Amino acid sequence: MTPVPHTHDPGSVLRRLRLTGVTGLAAAALVLAACGGGGSSTTAPEASAPAATSEVDTLKIANGVAIDTLDPAENAANESIWLDQNIYARLVQTDPTGTKIVPDLASTWEQSADGLTWTFHLNPAAKFADGSPVTAADAAWSINRARALEGGWGFLITPVTSITATDPQTVVIKLKTKHAPLLADLAMYAYGILPQKAVEADKDFFSKTPYGAGPFKVTKLEPDSQLVLTRNDSYWGPKPKISTVEVSVVTNDNTRVLQLQGGQVDVIENPPGNLVKQLSANPKLKVDLFPSTRVDFLQVPLKSKPFEDVRVRQAVKAALDLDAMNTLAYQGNAVPANTFFPYKMLHWAESIPTPKPDLDKAKQLLTEAGFPNGFKTDLITVSGDAAGQAQAVVIKDDLAKIGIDVTIQSYEQSTAYTNERSGTNGLGLRYWTNDIIDPDEVATFGADIKGGANSFSSYWGDEATSKAINDARSETDEAKRGELYAQVQQTIADQAPFIPLAYAPFRYASGAWVNGFQVSPLGNYNDSLLSLTVGTH
Amino acid sequence: MRALGLSWTRLANLVPVLFGITLVSFVLIRLVPGDPATQILGNRYTPEAAEQIRNSLGLNDSILTQYGIFLRSAVTGSFGESYQYHRPVGEILVDRVGPSLLLVAVTAALCTLISLPLGVLAAVRRGGALDQGTRIFFTLGYALPAFLIGIVLILVFGLRLGWFPIGGYGTGFGQHLYHLVLPAVTLAIPFSTVLVRSLRASTINVLESDFVTIARLKGISGWTVLARHVLRNAIAPVAVVFGVNLAFLVGGTVVIENVFSIPGMGSLLVGAVATRDYPVVQAVSLVLAVFVLLVNVLTDVVHRLLDPRLAVAVTR
């Protein structure tokens, strides 16, 4: 807002002016656009081995997004989810590589011969941060609570019929059908185990100083500015070397980078892609790129002409240059996508070739479909998403070569999503990230027309694919599951209801004085906080 | 009330204005495409889940019903529950209003400290080095966008010299003030520009009037004339400029709070608009509107106290 210059009329004009001031302000606020971050890069640097003790006992992290809530069943913001993992233990957890399930509160578990009854045995040493023991009743209550939440995560474990505590150390889960992803689902943040009595006794439990049985507990919470985590002395596992983690919320990308350069914070989330080079050149700082489960894809509007014709979709796919996109959008730090499954995740089909541009084939396909001279279409993008805008430019350029005239439409995030959902508004740029390590989630959302999400809003589906996804869910032989998922990935690659573009990494920057900060493919860094050390700087 | 030149009717007139503002912000945020349920679900969007969420948030009720619910919640001060934070909006406002008010207060104080001496001196030594210097400096400050000034200040005083923290709000009152120095200076530069120019203009006006000449002829010393006669008369129109711009300063804080990551109303509003957190947008718009209207009323009061002629004109 610019200040108003002096006016000599203290009367009506002034009053009118002030009112415009008010309404203008509200209107301006309403048209303000949100900015999404871009992305960039691939492999994590070699982690230097953390020292035996930490010289500085506090780690300061600056995140770009406010904490929506610390109730694990209600979380939506990734940044809050990654914090949850430090506070609440689950029955089982994902290992730091994001590839397998390892014990957490349950030290052992077994399933019945028919695969319909699972029994989990809790570690008797497990305690909540207030010193009280973790009981099977707490565990059963917490999982049931998360499962029952409207709009929550219950749909992941629909085959579950009951979760009960048969004695203080034993949780029994019964299923109506076999459910291969069960352990992966239970390792999810939403199924964190909570102290039942404390949560029930205080309706504001999660907005004050929530705690669970994780290595840290909350000692201060201001959702939109800072969170202080303090080492939980009752934690039964390895004691973290740092005693405090201070997380601040700094929404402005440049401010986060400046704070890191000034040594005010130790680790920052999502430094802007265009500053990566500059940060890497500074010997006091390092840019960390960690493999993630993010898959950028081009949504195709199957409900509108001419995209209902598979040849048109294949032509679009054959025209795209994924390498050029990677260079321009991610400075070459992403991996061009070969399937819609996240990179190197469980059952990712490595054998499916990454598409290479073939303009002759693309033109031929378009001619066969009846569009020898191409056609016009729109491409929906999110304004302020630097990587997405770069991808859009490459797509426009590539498709122009086969006569398709693309108009790039930039919307603010919320509007872009809404416009893409209907499957009738032109091409759109979107991305997917996993919440669990099992491919069941991405397969259901992306390729099962009956899965609820209309195959990423493409409205594409076929019986065989839906059946393969359902069979894979209850198939416990991993080799057979792999075959089923390979078939699903191949079908999506051939039918192109949407076109996977890139596997983008998680991007962090940290001071050279931080040793051992690591992020798993699901975005969690809780494992690394157990051994991480901070040097003086 | 009367003595302050405020009538009940004047205050009663504010009520429809407030209604208008709530209605406009209420309807506008709903007209903007983008759906809260879509935003809440993100990747996990399914039409059924979205419908379920819209139902539970009451977004499927008629717009009048929704508006009625909002008005009721506004009267109780709870303002409903935030979609994003799952907390009563009233509680969030309480957390957020302090930093913004403190930022506005520190900015206003800085402006007064900067503008009063500079404006008067520029008038007294017209065309002198100080006059020209302030003119150039403030014209620049006025022309540059606030976020740019903010970043330059961070680079120089935060990063290079390390005198002040780079954004954030700290813990405890002393730390809050310390963290607010740079953002307040950022806001004060364009704000002071207007004040210095208008104070200079009105001081020159008064300096040229007859009673000042007479006072001088009486042999009253220059400084006494300035303090007793000139400043008193020159300040009245400037007070109005101050008031009007203070209202606009609220708009400036929206940008600056984001640059310096201050947890105030401005950054709350930006975040809430982006996530389509309707209850928060409505509540913040209302609170900001009330603030602006209050400043307007106070400006009128102060103006009348400084310039009795106005009160006469109004009552006639």
Side-chain angles (χ1 to χ4, degrees), chain A residues 211-241:
Chain A
Y211 62 88
F216 290 92
K217 60 185 182 195
V218 177
T219 45
K220 185 175 179 193
L221 170 61
E222 290 168 359
D224 29 45
S225 58
Q226 69 168 157
L227 167 80
V228 179
L229 296 173
T230 307
R231 188 164 51 204
N232 165 15
D233 291 326
S234 310
Y235 185 58
W236 76 98
K239 292 270 186 295
K241 292 173 181 147

mmCIF file of all heavy atoms in Angstrom, chain A residues 211-241:
data_model
loop_
_atom_site.group_PDB
_atom_site.id
_atom_site.type_symbol
_atom_site.label_atom_id
_atom_site.label_comp_id
_atom_site.label_asym_id
_atom_site.label_seq_id
_atom_site.Cartn_x
_atom_site.Cartn_y
_atom_site.Cartn_z
ATOM 1 N N TYR A 211 2.736 -34.529 24.052
ATOM 2 C CA TYR A 211 3.847 -35.470 24.137
ATOM 3 C C TYR A 211 3.343 -36.865 23.790
ATOM 4 O O TYR A 211 2.142 -37.130 23.795
ATOM 5 C CB TYR A 211 4.473 -35.462 25.540
ATOM 6 C CG TYR A 211 3.525 -35.888 26.633
ATOM 7 C CD1 TYR A 211 3.384 -37.227 26.977
ATOM 8 C CD2 TYR A 211 2.763 -34.947 27.323
ATOM 9 C CE1 TYR A 211 2.504 -37.621 27.967
ATOM 10 C CE2 TYR A 211 1.882 -35.325 28.319
ATOM 11 C CZ TYR A 211 1.746 -36.670 28.636
ATOM 12 O OH TYR A 211 0.873 -37.062 29.610
ATOM 13 N N GLY A 212 4.264 -37.745 23.465
ATOM 14 C CA GLY A 212 3.931 -39.136 23.195
ATOM 15 C C GLY A 212 5.061 -39.968 23.752
ATOM 16 O O GLY A 212 5.579 -39.678 24.829
ATOM 17 N N ALA A 213 5.484 -40.981 22.985
ATOM 18 C CA ALA A 213 6.580 -41.824 23.448
ATOM 19 C C ALA A 213 7.775 -41.707 22.512
ATOM 20 O O ALA A 213 8.597 -42.599 22.414
ATOM 21 C CB ALA A 213 6.111 -43.276 23.546
ATOM 22 N N GLY A 214 7.877 -40.584 21.802
ATOM 23 C CA GLY A 214 9.000 -40.372 20.890
ATOM 24 C C GLY A 214 10.210 -39.799 21.617
ATOM 25 O O GLY A 214 10.147 -39.510 22.811
ATOM 26 N N PRO A 215 11.327 -39.606 20.909
ATOM 27 C CA PRO A 215 12.567 -39.140 21.538
ATOM 28 C C PRO A 215 12.520 -37.675 22.019
ATOM 29 O O PRO A 215 13.343 -37.267 22.829
ATOM 30 C CB PRO A 215 13.622 -39.310 20.449
ATOM 31 C CG PRO A 215 12.874 -39.415 19.169
ATOM 32 C CD PRO A 215 11.534 -39.978 19.488
ATOM 33 N N PHE A 216 11.561 -36.898 21.524
ATOM 34 C CA PHE A 216 11.450 -35.507 21.957
ATOM 35 C C PHE A 216 10.031 -35.219 22.421
ATOM 36 O O PHE A 216 9.089 -35.903 22.026
ATOM 37 C CB PHE A 216 11.794 -34.540 20.808
ATOM 38 C CG PHE A 216 13.242 -34.537 20.430
ATOM 39 C CD1 PHE A 216 13.712 -35.371 19.423
ATOM 40 C CD2 PHE A 216 14.147 -33.702 21.086
ATOM 41 C CE1 PHE A 216 15.064 -35.378 19.078
ATOM 42 C CE2 PHE A 216 15.491 -33.706 20.739
ATOM 43 C CZ PHE A 216 15.953 -34.540 19.734
ATOM 44 N N LYS A 217 9.901 -34.185 23.281
ATOM 45 C CA LYS A 217 8.562 -33.741 23.672
ATOM 46 C C LYS A 217 8.468 -32.241 23.420
ATOM 47 O O LYS A 217 9.490 -31.545 23.357
ATOM 48 C CB LYS A 217 8.306 -34.058 25.144
ATOM 49 C CG LYS A 217 9.294 -33.365 26.072
ATOM 50 C CD LYS A 217 9.108 -33.782 27.521
ATOM 51 C CE LYS A 217 10.091 -33.016 28.395
ATOM 52 N NZ LYS A 217 10.250 -33.559 29.719
ATOM 53 N N VAL A 218 7.235 -31.739 23.280
ATOM 54 C CA VAL A 218 7.042 -30.315 23.004
ATOM 55 C C VAL A 218 7.108 -29.531 24.317
ATOM 56 O O VAL A 218 6.438 -29.885 25.285
ATOM 57 C CB VAL A 218 5.675 -30.068 22.335
ATOM 58 C CG1 VAL A 218 5.441 -28.582 22.101
ATOM 59 C CG2 VAL A 218 5.594 -30.834 21.027
ATOM 60 N N THR A 219 7.951 -28.485 24.363
ATOM 61 C CA THR A 219 7.960 -27.666 25.571
ATOM 62 C C THR A 219 7.438 -26.261 25.286
ATOM 63 O O THR A 219 7.160 -25.496 26.191
ATOM 64 C CB THR A 219 9.365 -27.569 26.189
ATOM 65 O OG1 THR A 219 10.299 -27.313 25.149
ATOM 66 C CG2 THR A 219 9.745 -28.861 26.875
ATOM 67 N N LYS A 220 7.322 -25.913 23.982
ATOM 68 C CA LYS A 220 6.748 -24.619 23.649
ATOM 69 C C LYS A 220 6.154 -24.702 22.251
ATOM 70 O O LYS A 220 6.789 -25.233 21.343
ATOM 71 C CB LYS A 220 7.834 -23.552 23.694
ATOM 72 C CG LYS A 220 7.277 -22.166 23.486
ATOM 73 C CD LYS A 220 8.359 -21.125 23.659
ATOM 74 C CE LYS A 220 7.760 -19.754 23.414
ATOM 75 N NZ LYS A 220 8.781 -18.738 23.255
ATOM 76 N N LEU A 221 4.941 -24.200 22.097
ATOM 77 C CA LEU A 221 4.292 -24.286 20.788
ATOM 78 C C LEU A 221 3.576 -22.994 20.446
ATOM 79 O O LEU A 221 2.656 -22.587 21.140
ATOM 80 C CB LEU A 221 3.297 -25.461 20.785
ATOM 81 C CG LEU A 221 2.361 -25.566 19.578
ATOM 82 C CD1 LEU A 221 3.123 -25.736 18.288
ATOM 83 C CD2 LEU A 221 1.386 -26.723 19.747
ATOM 84 N N GLU A 222 4.055 -22.317 19.404
ATOM 85 C CA GLU A 222 3.327 -21.185 18.815
ATOM 86 C C GLU A 222 3.198 -21.550 17.342
ATOM 87 O O GLU A 222 4.140 -21.362 16.575
ATOM 88 C CB GLU A 222 4.114 -19.888 18.981
ATOM 89 C CG GLU A 222 4.175 -19.409 20.423
ATOM 90 C CD GLU A 222 5.193 -18.295 20.632
ATOM 91 O OE1 GLU A 222 5.878 -17.906 19.664
ATOM 92 O OE2 GLU A 222 5.297 -17.825 21.763
ATOM 93 N N PRO A 223 2.039 -22.107 16.938
ATOM 94 C CA PRO A 223 1.925 -22.789 15.648
ATOM 95 C C PRO A 223 2.457 -22.008 14.453
ATOM 96 O O PRO A 223 2.956 -22.577 13.513
ATOM 97 C CB PRO A 223 0.428 -23.009 15.495
ATOM 98 C CG PRO A 223 -0.106 -22.962 16.860
ATOM 99 C CD PRO A 223 0.772 -22.046 17.648
ATOM 100 N N ASP A 224 2.360 -20.674 14.505
ATOM 101 C CA ASP A 224 2.779 -19.951 13.321
ATOM 102 C C ASP A 224 4.109 -19.270 13.479
ATOM 103 O O ASP A 224 4.542 -18.560 12.595
ATOM 104 C CB ASP A 224 1.699 -18.955 12.910
ATOM 105 C CG ASP A 224 0.943 -18.523 14.122
ATOM 106 O OD1 ASP A 224 1.619 -18.238 15.128
ATOM 107 O OD2 ASP A 224 -0.292 -18.500 14.099
ATOM 108 N N SER A 225 4.778 -19.448 14.609
ATOM 109 C CA SER A 225 6.103 -18.850 14.684
ATOM 110 C C SER A 225 7.173 -19.794 15.207
ATOM 111 O O SER A 225 8.245 -19.868 14.628
ATOM 112 C CB SER A 225 6.073 -17.563 15.500
ATOM 113 O OG SER A 225 5.586 -17.798 16.781
ATOM 114 N N GLN A 226 6.922 -20.532 16.269
ATOM 115 C CA GLN A 226 7.990 -21.443 16.686
ATOM 116 C C GLN A 226 7.514 -22.634 17.504
ATOM 117 O O GLN A 226 6.446 -22.639 18.096
ATOM 118 C CB GLN A 226 9.070 -20.687 17.446
ATOM 119 C CG GLN A 226 8.612 -20.200 18.776
ATOM 120 C CD GLN A 226 9.746 -19.699 19.659
ATOM 121 O OE1 GLN A 226 9.509 -18.930 20.533
ATOM 122 N NE2 GLN A 226 10.976 -20.134 19.463
ATOM 123 N N LEU A 227 8.363 -23.657 17.488
ATOM 124 C CA LEU A 227 8.110 -24.863 18.258
ATOM 125 C C LEU A 227 9.432 -25.231 18.919
ATOM 126 O O LEU A 227 10.479 -25.175 18.281
ATOM 127 C CB LEU A 227 7.688 -25.996 17.310
ATOM 128 C CG LEU A 227 7.683 -27.402 17.903
ATOM 129 C CD1 LEU A 227 6.419 -27.629 18.714
ATOM 130 C CD2 LEU A 227 7.764 -28.445 16.806
ATOM 131 N N VAL A 228 9.372 -25.570 20.205
ATOM 132 C CA VAL A 228 10.590 -26.026 20.877
ATOM 133 C C VAL A 228 10.385 -27.475 21.297
ATOM 134 O O VAL A 228 9.418 -27.810 21.990
ATOM 135 C CB VAL A 228 10.935 -25.156 22.108
ATOM 136 C CG1 VAL A 228 12.199 -25.678 22.791
ATOM 137 C CG2 VAL A 228 11.122 -23.702 21.688
ATOM 138 N N LEU A 229 11.290 -28.347 20.822
ATOM 139 C CA LEU A 229 11.270 -29.753 21.212
ATOM 140 C C LEU A 229 12.414 -29.991 22.184
ATOM 141 O O LEU A 229 13.532 -29.538 21.941
ATOM 142 C CB LEU A 229 11.467 -30.656 19.985
ATOM 143 C CG LEU A 229 10.392 -30.637 18.896
ATOM 144 C CD1 LEU A 229 10.842 -31.461 17.704
ATOM 145 C CD2 LEU A 229 9.083 -31.165 19.434
ATOM 146 N N THR A 230 12.125 -30.676 23.282
ATOM 147 C CA THR A 230 13.159 -30.964 24.279
ATOM 148 C C THR A 230 13.314 -32.473 24.398
ATOM 149 O O THR A 230 12.321 -33.201 24.295
ATOM 150 C CB THR A 230 12.759 -30.367 25.643
ATOM 151 O OG1 THR A 230 12.468 -28.988 25.438
ATOM 152 C CG2 THR A 230 13.868 -30.506 26.665
ATOM 153 N N ARG A 231 14.535 -32.911 24.596
ATOM 154 C CA ARG A 231 14.819 -34.347 24.701
ATOM 155 C C ARG A 231 13.929 -34.990 25.765
ATOM 156 O O ARG A 231 13.775 -34.463 26.864
ATOM 157 C CB ARG A 231 16.294 -34.527 25.058
ATOM 158 C CG ARG A 231 16.764 -35.978 25.005
ATOM 159 C CD ARG A 231 18.276 -36.075 24.973
ATOM 160 N NE ARG A 231 18.906 -35.284 26.036
ATOM 161 C CZ ARG A 231 20.151 -34.821 25.965
ATOM 162 N NH1 ARG A 231 20.893 -35.055 24.900
ATOM 163 N NH2 ARG A 231 20.668 -34.116 26.953
ATOM 164 N N ASN A 232 13.327 -36.122 25.418
ATOM 165 C CA ASN A 232 12.462 -36.847 26.343
ATOM 166 C C ASN A 232 13.319 -37.837 27.142
ATOM 167 O O ASN A 232 13.804 -38.818 26.608
ATOM 168 C CB ASN A 232 11.387 -37.585 25.525
ATOM 169 C CG ASN A 232 10.657 -38.640 26.332
ATOM 170 O OD1 ASN A 232 10.737 -38.671 27.557
ATOM 171 N ND2 ASN A 232 9.942 -39.516 25.629
ATOM 172 N N ASP A 233 13.508 -37.541 28.412
ATOM 173 C CA ASP A 233 14.400 -38.385 29.226
ATOM 174 C C ASP A 233 13.825 -39.762 29.517
ATOM 175 O O ASP A 233 14.543 -40.659 29.927
ATOM 176 C CB ASP A 233 14.765 -37.660 30.533
ATOM 177 C CG ASP A 233 15.666 -36.463 30.242
ATOM 178 O OD1 ASP A 233 16.479 -36.565 29.289
ATOM 179 O OD2 ASP A 233 15.533 -35.422 30.916
ATOM 180 N N SER A 234 12.503 -39.928 29.289
ATOM 181 C CA SER A 234 11.909 -41.252 29.498
ATOM 182 C C SER A 234 12.034 -42.140 28.260
ATOM 183 O O SER A 234 11.602 -43.284 28.279
ATOM 184 C CB SER A 234 10.416 -41.121 29.823
ATOM 185 O OG SER A 234 10.207 -40.192 30.847
ATOM 186 N N TYR A 235 12.605 -41.606 27.178
ATOM 187 C CA TYR A 235 12.670 -42.371 25.921
ATOM 188 C C TYR A 235 13.525 -43.622 26.110
ATOM 189 O O TYR A 235 14.624 -43.557 26.644
ATOM 190 C CB TYR A 235 13.241 -41.484 24.809
ATOM 191 C CG TYR A 235 13.236 -42.127 23.450
ATOM 192 C CD1 TYR A 235 12.049 -42.576 22.870
ATOM 193 C CD2 TYR A 235 14.419 -42.284 22.724
ATOM 194 C CE1 TYR A 235 12.041 -43.158 21.617
ATOM 195 C CE2 TYR A 235 14.417 -42.865 21.461
ATOM 196 C CZ TYR A 235 13.223 -43.310 20.916
ATOM 197 O OH TYR A 235 13.218 -43.891 19.671
ATOM 198 N N TRP A 236 12.972 -44.764 25.654
ATOM 199 C CA TRP A 236 13.660 -46.041 25.918
ATOM 200 C C TRP A 236 14.756 -46.339 24.887
ATOM 201 O O TRP A 236 15.602 -47.183 25.090
ATOM 202 C CB TRP A 236 12.631 -47.180 25.920
ATOM 203 C CG TRP A 236 12.175 -47.573 24.543
ATOM 204 C CD1 TRP A 236 12.652 -48.611 23.810
ATOM 205 C CD2 TRP A 236 11.193 -46.929 23.726
ATOM 206 N NE1 TRP A 236 12.024 -48.662 22.585
ATOM 207 C CE2 TRP A 236 11.126 -47.634 22.501
ATOM 208 C CE3 TRP A 236 10.361 -45.818 23.894
ATOM 209 C CZ2 TRP A 236 10.264 -47.269 21.474
ATOM 210 C CZ3 TRP A 236 9.506 -45.463 22.869
ATOM 211 C CH2 TRP A 236 9.460 -46.167 21.688
ATOM 212 N N GLY A 237 14.739 -45.625 23.762
ATOM 213 C CA GLY A 237 15.702 -45.909 22.705
ATOM 214 C C GLY A 237 16.986 -45.119 22.899
ATOM 215 O O GLY A 237 17.261 -44.621 23.992
ATOM 216 N N PRO A 238 17.796 -44.988 21.831
ATOM 217 C CA PRO A 238 19.053 -44.236 21.951
ATOM 218 C C PRO A 238 18.763 -42.763 22.264
ATOM 219 O O PRO A 238 17.861 -42.168 21.679
ATOM 220 C CB PRO A 238 19.686 -44.390 20.566
ATOM 221 C CG PRO A 238 18.558 -44.752 19.647
ATOM 222 C CD PRO A 238 17.581 -45.528 20.473
ATOM 223 N N LYS A 239 19.518 -42.181 23.202
ATOM 224 C CA LYS A 239 19.307 -40.781 23.586
ATOM 225 C C LYS A 239 19.883 -39.853 22.511
ATOM 226 O O LYS A 239 21.032 -40.021 22.112
ATOM 227 C CB LYS A 239 20.028 -40.488 24.905
ATOM 228 C CG LYS A 239 19.419 -41.197 26.109
ATOM 229 C CD LYS A 239 18.339 -40.337 26.749
ATOM 230 C CE LYS A 239 17.817 -40.967 28.040
ATOM 231 N NZ LYS A 239 17.108 -42.245 27.822
ATOM 232 N N PRO A 240 19.104 -38.891 22.035
ATOM 233 C CA PRO A 240 19.653 -37.919 21.083
ATOM 234 C C PRO A 240 20.834 -37.167 21.694
ATOM 235 O O PRO A 240 20.868 -36.952 22.908
ATOM 236 C CB PRO A 240 18.487 -36.965 20.837
ATOM 237 C CG PRO A 240 17.264 -37.696 21.263
ATOM 238 C CD PRO A 240 17.695 -38.648 22.331
ATOM 239 N N LYS A 241 21.811 -36.764 20.863
ATOM 240 C CA LYS A 241 22.989 -36.041 21.374
ATOM 241 C C LYS A 241 22.685 -34.562 21.581
ATOM 242 O O LYS A 241 23.404 -33.874 22.309
ATOM 243 C CB LYS A 241 24.159 -36.208 20.418
ATOM 244 C CG LYS A 241 24.652 -37.652 20.411
ATOM 245 C CD LYS A 241 25.702 -37.867 19.343
ATOM 246 C CE LYS A 241 26.137 -39.319 19.353
ATOM 247 N NZ LYS A 241 26.486 -39.782 18.025
#
